[in-house]
Amino acid sequence: AQTVTQSQPEMSVQEAETVTLSCTYDTSESDYYLFWYKQPPSRQMILVIRQEAYKQQNATENRFSVNFQKAAKSFSLKISDSQLGDAAMYFCAYRSAASQGGSEKLVFGKGTKLTVNP
Amino acid sequence: GAVVSQHPSWVICKSGTSVKIECRSLDFQATTMFWYRQFPKQSLMLMATSNEGSKATYEQGVEKDKFLINHASLTLSTLTVTSAHPEDSSFYICSARRTFGQPQHFGDGTRLSIL
């Protein structure tokens, strides 16, 4: 079974600064997807960024980028120019690829609470 | 976009009653919907996968008779917590996706409090 580990329960960053959230995972599959979701106090899960394992290029979405190290099974999220609205719980998640014939189940880490200080 | 609506957003009820939660995909047809449970300060745990027109697939440890799931149309899935007890109090979140492998879009969640 796949597992996702987020070793930082809480992180804080100054507004306009950069912060990196860590995520490691364990799997025996070769093809899969990795996600970062944001959950603000409103509780809705919002997809921040997605990475396909077969793509070597790191995904980027505006101020959000990932450092995907497949061999190390590491998938960190970098938030640049942090804004007050970035404050939220951030969850790293894993999902098997369709090619693996597995479940579409999302396996989540325990989350990292990000505080942005003005 | 891909909007998923969940209703109600918050419900408080007495122990022993049954509670129904709706999950709707507003602007797309969802052949599959997912139901998650989230305890305070915890991660989301998948409870079941709901496929339109067929029986739901439950994760290990989830009681089928306790958590009834119906996916009668391509835009609606319901989760009924039967004979709810205080230990069922939690945050329940649904997600929906168009076709296999497509990203899941989440609803706003339902906070269930059983007194």
Side-chain angles (χ1 to χ4, degrees), chain A residues 63-116:
Chain A
R63 298 183 294 108
F64 299 87
S65 62
V66 298
N67 183 3
F68 173 48
Q69 301 290 328
K70 191 172 184 179
K73 295 180 181 175
S74 170
F75 182 61
S76 61
L77 174 70
K78 186 172 81 172
I79 305 174
S80 304
D81 185 25
S82 297
Q83 300 176 359
L84 295 177
D86 295 333
M89 282 291 290
Y90 286 82
F91 292 97
C92 179
Y94 172 103
R95 200 200 82 203
S96 297
S99 61
Q100 301 291 309
S103 166
E104 290 181 90
K105 171 182 177 179
L106 282 170
V107 178
F108 287 90
K110 291 185 179 295
T112 297
K113 182 179 180 181
L114 178 65
T115 301
V116 181

Side-chain angles (χ1 to χ4, degrees), chain A residues 5-90:
Chain A
T5 302
Q6 292 179 250
S7 59
Q8 307 153 316
E10 297 187 24
M11 291 282 285
S12 63
V13 63
Q14 289 295 126
E15 195 175 4
E17 298 291 308
T18 296
V19 65
T20 298
L21 307 184
S22 300
C23 173
T24 58
Y25 59 94
D26 189 27
T27 183
S28 59
E29 298 176 336
S30 59
D31 196 15
Y32 47 86
Y33 295 93
L34 296 165
F35 305 85
W36 278 98
Y37 281 91
K38 169 184 176 181
Q39 188 181 40
S42 65
R43 305 301 293 272
Q44 184 180 24
M45 296 289 284
I46 302 167
L47 178 63
V48 175
I49 200 165
R50 158 179 141 147
Q51 175 78 43
E52 297 164 8
Y54 67 85
K55 290 186 177 179
Q56 293 186 341
Q57 187 173 8
N58 290 324
T60 62
E61 284 289 340
N62 300 314
R63 298 183 294 108
F64 299 87
S65 62
V66 298
N67 183 3
F68 173 48
Q69 301 290 328
K70 191 172 184 179
K73 295 180 181 175
S74 170
F75 182 61
S76 61
L77 174 70
K78 186 172 81 172
I79 305 174
S80 304
D81 185 25
S82 297
Q83 300 176 359
L84 295 177
D86 295 333
M89 282 291 290
Y90 286 82

Side-chain angles (χ1 to χ4, degrees), chain B residues 1 3 5 15 35 46 48 50 56-57 62-63 73 77-78 80 85 89-90 94 96-97 99 105 111 114:
Chain B
V3 181
S5 173
S15 183
W35 287 97
L46 180 66
S50 168
T57 303
V62 178
E63 299 177 58
S73 77
S77 176
T78 60
T80 300
H85 292 285
S89 298
S90 190
C94 73
R97 60 102 173 115
T99 57
H105 303 281
R111 183 179 301 280
I114 309 298

